[in-house]
Amino acid sequence: MFCGFQLGGEVTIALTERQRLAGALACLFPFLLHCMLDGGGGSKHWEATFLYYLAEANRLLGLNDDAMTIYRQPIDAVEQARTLSIPSEVSRAGIVSARHDVFAGTIDFMVSRHREAEAFEIAEAWHARALLDILTESRVDLTKDLSASQREQEDKLFARISSVQRELWSAGGRAAPEEELKMNLARAENELESFQLEMRRSNPRYAGVKYPRPQKAEEITARFSDDGTALIEFVLGDQKSFAWIVHGGRISSVVLPPRKQIEAVVSNYRAALNEHVSALTVKTSIASTDLLGSQLYETLFAPLESQLKGAHSVVIVPDGVLFYLPFESLRRAAVASKKEADAPYLIERFAISYAPSATALRLIQDPKESTTGARGLVAYGDPIYTAVKFDSSSAQTGRGAELTSLPYTRDEVSAIASLFALADRHAYTGAEATEASVKSADLSHIRYLHFAAHGVIDEDNPMRSGIVLSRVAQSNEDGTLQMNEVVRLKLGAEVVTLSACRTGLGKVMNGEGVIGLTRAFQYAGAKDVVVSLWNVNDVATSELMKAFYQNLTRGLRKDEALRQAKLQFLHGARGTWKHPYFWAPFVLNGAND
């Protein structure tokens, strides 16, 4: 009999040789029982692992009915493990992320048995579960129950983090103080997280929070019964990847290449998108970029295209690296006719938006604060950074991590504000564009919230990601509105726009998606968040944002408003801006209702 286990280590079961499978099946349950009873191994994690191997063994033996029954059990075990985990976002997400094999393997089996709807439900159980939990808690707003002393303690912890951040940024790269300050920062952040966890544990309303279950396939198909809008949901797997199309009240699925194959092409495509573009190189650059884009088109979109007839709006639920891919920039290769008109970009065919999952989309559409009566604009731009000379002749000026001045953001904010009545607009620029002014403003009834500034993204420690505003010497604030601070805002915004570099990036976790600024603003109450996927051009971004808000004030839907702004670049007279680098970085995440 072939069996093997190691307490506290990895379990290895050979399932590739049929003659060993009977022995593997016979010993799996004793191992499972041993691990569940032993003090070091009794966990839902182990239970999910063993049940999954058991289901796989039954599948390979051809016992498909038994496999069908067993496959759902490890999913249930993972769900129970989530409820028992530390109630922090990363911890909850990590429980599901670590069991990628369980979800992908179960989906593979369901699809092979032509159970597309059930496979789709597994995908929904896989996607954005921590986000669903935190969104639900944010609707309850447990912070209302904090006592005055607890609020004071929390404020002191935030102030301590800001103080260390200010010291860290003024350390000037000196290794010794910088390392010590980083340790101090980590300690302060850990203390804040511990405080917030304790407040949750001690709050009786926390125990009564009703967390939403992933929606059933029939519930989701009913929401996409309109032929004009389709949902596409992806799951990337090590052996196979999958996509589901929900359109016209029907659901279908396709099998795609393995994760690594897709990741390699996406990586090459993103590298091409970020190459320097000039008037002399734009045609060559577009051709090489489109070649890579056409490979992704054929891999990810062509297999499901026949299911999208009649759709003019598409909601995409990405997975893994696909969160960093602007699908609207993909196009098929025009090999036969050599005519661009025969190979339009997807942006020319569809208005595209993105969502963390179909279930999460439904919750985001039910905002934290009522948006009824929300009106007007609050915008922040052209913060004061350092006395850096700005070369206005440079067409490649970006909004990246180097804190150079961004003069076009003042024009951007002024032009956008001019679209609103004087009483309905508040624009903060220069020395007024501060972190303190954001926190002190009543944003609960503001329809549009706009930031035109530098963004800082920390993919290892996403809570440190933020929008960099004017730094005031005598302020208690560090000048960067970070994730933990964003979550404390009370928003009623239809749209929050982060007109800065790479604001759509963060910590990518299997199944969960991107932990970053997008979801922080969603937790705070925003219905839609517009973010960027790479370092953006200052001049082009300013023009794109003006067009976007002009379209919004004309009454266009949010996805269509952004689409039309991009089409102005694509079909405009300025040849350089036809390159996707200039018009494709900004994407719409959220409700789009």
Side-chain angles (χ1 to χ4, degrees):
M1 179 182 295
F2 175 80
C3 298
F5 76 99
Q6 179 182 357
L7 289 178
E10 293 296 322
V11 178
T12 304
I13 301 173
L15 298 177
T16 56
E17 298 178 61
R18 292 179 67 91
Q19 62 267 32
R20 293 186 174 183
L21 283 174
L25 282 168
C27 71
L28 270 170
F29 273 119
F31 279 166
L32 176 58
L33 181 62
H34 182 93
C35 288
M36 291 177 67
L37 294 178
D38 185 89
S43 71
K44 291 297 178 181
H45 171 84
W46 279 106
E47 184 178 338
T49 299
F50 281 113
L51 287 169
Y52 172 66
Y53 283 140
L54 181 62
E56 287 282 280
N58 274 277
R59 177 185 183 180
L60 290 174
L61 282 172
L63 304 175
N64 290 324
D65 290 341
D66 290 339
M68 180 67 72
T69 300
I70 298 169
Y71 264 119
R72 287 191 173 275
Q73 295 177 31
I75 303 293
D76 293 339
V78 172
E79 184 63 25
Q80 293 174 48
R82 278 184 3 92
T83 64
L84 298 172
S85 67
I86 297 172
S88 69
E89 184 172 27
V90 173
S91 176
R92 288 167 169 171
I95 294 294
V96 177
S97 179
R99 296 269 46 93
H100 175 263
D101 55 342
V102 171
F103 287 87
T106 303
I107 288 170
D108 184 24
F109 178 73
M110 297 291 184
V111 170
S112 72
R113 305 301 297 169
H114 306 291
R115 310 283 281 265
E116 284 86 358
E118 291 173 76
F120 180 57
E121 290 174 356
I122 301 298
E124 278 292 297
W126 161 248
H127 277 137
R129 299 305 306 285
L131 180 142
L132 271 177
D133 290 348
I134 306 296
L135 268 179
T136 302
E137 291 170 11
S138 72
R139 300 304 191 259
V140 177
D141 194 3
L142 302 173
T143 62
K144 291 180 179 179
D145 298 332
L146 294 180
S147 66
S149 62
Q150 289 170 334
R151 289 184 185 279
E152 182 181 2
Q153 185 178 352
E154 186 177 45
D155 288 341
K156 285 181 178 178
L157 288 169
F158 273 103
R160 182 177 159 198
I161 290 172
S162 294
S163 176
V164 178
Q165 291 274 34
R166 287 198 306 274
E167 291 183 70
L168 187 60
W169 287 326
S170 63
R174 299 189 303 276
E178 187 170 299
E179 286 305 311
E180 182 180 354
L181 288 169
K182 284 181 178 178
M183 289 190 290
N184 291 341
L185 178 60
R187 279 194 292 267
E189 290 170 336
N190 289 337
E191 286 184 34
L192 175 62
E193 182 177 21
S194 297
F195 170 81
Q196 292 174 333
L197 289 174
E198 181 56 34
M199 291 304 97
R200 287 174 177 172
R201 290 192 185 97
S202 61
N203 190 322
R205 286 207 300 141
Y206 180 78
V209 173
K210 302 296 184 185
Y211 295 100
R213 57 168 177 76
Q215 287 195 307
K216 294 292 186 182
E218 58 267 23
E219 295 175 285
I220 297 170
T221 53
R223 287 164 45 205
F224 290 89
S225 58
D226 175 12
D227 284 342
T229 303
L231 174 84
I232 302 173
E233 185 157 341
F234 291 93
V235 167
L236 302 185
D238 293 335
Q239 306 301 320
K240 302 173 186 175
S241 298
F242 307 90
W244 293 263
I245 307 92
V246 184
H247 180 46
R250 300 179 301 277
I251 183 169
S252 55
S253 66
V254 295
V255 177
L256 303 173
R259 170 194 300 272
K260 286 187 177 180
Q261 183 176 330
I262 292 172
E263 287 176 340
V265 185
V266 171
S267 177
N268 291 337
Y269 182 61
R270 281 181 54 81
L273 283 171
N274 279 275
E275 288 181 355
H276 180 87
V277 181
S278 69
L280 295 176
T281 63
V282 63
K283 287 188 177 180
T284 302
S285 182
I286 288 176
S288 60
T289 301
D290 284 351
L291 180 61
L292 290 167
S294 68
Q295 294 176 28
L296 286 169
Y297 180 97
E298 294 301 325
T299 299
L300 298 173
F301 204 83
L304 49 86
E305 197 165 9
S306 63
Q307 305 299 320
L308 295 174
K309 292 179 180 177
H312 55 74
S313 179
V314 175
V315 180
I316 294 176
V317 177
D319 190 30
V321 72
L322 298 184
F323 276 97
Y324 288 0
L325 175 66
F327 278 78
E328 42 267 80
S329 66
L330 305 184
R331 69 193 304 184
R332 69 165 64 92
V335 177
S337 66
K338 303 290 185 181
K339 294 180 181 178
E340 288 189 2
D342 294 335
Y345 289 103
L346 289 184
I347 191 66
E348 298 177 272
R349 299 170 54 196
F350 304 102
I352 297 176
S353 62
Y354 299 83
S357 73
T359 305
L361 176 62
R362 182 67 188 90
L363 190 58
I364 293 168
Q365 289 171 337
D366 181 19
K368 178 179 180 179
E369 303 286 343
S370 173
T371 57
T372 303
R375 57 187 296 169
L377 166 84
V378 171
Y380 300 84
D382 192 22
I384 296 174
Y385 298 124
T386 55
V388 176
K389 183 179 179 181
F390 174 73
D391 180 7
S392 60
S393 66
S394 172
Q396 292 299 126
T397 304
R399 300 183 181 182
E402 294 184 7
L403 299 185
T404 55
S405 61
L406 298 170
Y408 286 98
T409 61
R410 181 178 290 264
D411 177 57
E412 176 181 325
V413 166
S414 298
I416 293 170
S418 70
L419 299 171
F420 298 84
L422 187 61
D424 291 337
R425 70 190 192 215
H426 301 276
Y428 300 87
T429 57
E432 293 183 343
T434 64
E435 184 182 1
S437 66
V438 178
K439 292 179 177 179
S440 62
D442 180 5
L443 302 173
S444 60
H445 300 291
I446 299 300
R447 189 174 188 184
Y448 302 113
L449 179 60
H450 186 89
F451 294 91
H454 280 296
V456 289
I457 302 299
D458 191 328
E459 295 180 88
D460 295 324
N461 299 288
M463 292 301 169
R464 297 177 187 174
S465 298
I467 303 298
V468 186
L469 298 165
S470 294
R471 292 177 179 169
V472 180
Q474 304 304 317
S475 174
N476 290 328
E477 305 290 356
D478 56 33
T480 300
L481 186 67
Q482 294 179 306
M483 271 192 68
N484 267 330
E485 296 168 313
V486 170
V487 172
R488 300 179 88 195
L489 301 176
K490 309 298 181 186
L491 303 181
E494 286 281 342
V495 181
V496 172
T497 303
L498 306 183
S499 182
C501 286
R502 306 189 309 132
T503 48
L505 308 191
K507 185 181 183 70
V508 180
M509 299 187 71
N510 284 334
E512 184 60 35
V514 180
I515 297 179
L517 288 169
T518 299
R519 60 175 55 193
F521 279 97
Q522 289 170 337
Y523 295 155
K527 295 184 74 174
D528 284 279
V529 186
V530 176
V531 294
S532 64
L533 299 178
W534 54 79
N535 289 337
V536 298
N537 176 271
D538 191 25
V539 183
T541 296
S542 179
E543 294 302 315
L544 182 73
M545 290 301 161
K546 293 174 195 176
F548 174 50
Y549 279 90
Q550 284 172 347
N551 294 332
L552 286 175
T553 56
R554 286 170 46 209
L556 294 185
R557 264 176 50 135
K558 287 166 270 189
D559 59 348
E560 186 62 26
L562 187 57
R563 173 177 179 261
Q564 290 297 330
K566 293 178 178 182
L567 290 178
Q568 283 184 231
F569 274 48
L570 189 57
H571 299 150
R574 192 160 182 172
T576 308
W577 286 3
K578 295 178 184 292
H579 194 289
Y581 164 79
F582 293 97
W583 56 262
F586 286 96
V587 293
L588 178 72
N589 291 271
N592 189 37
D593 53 0

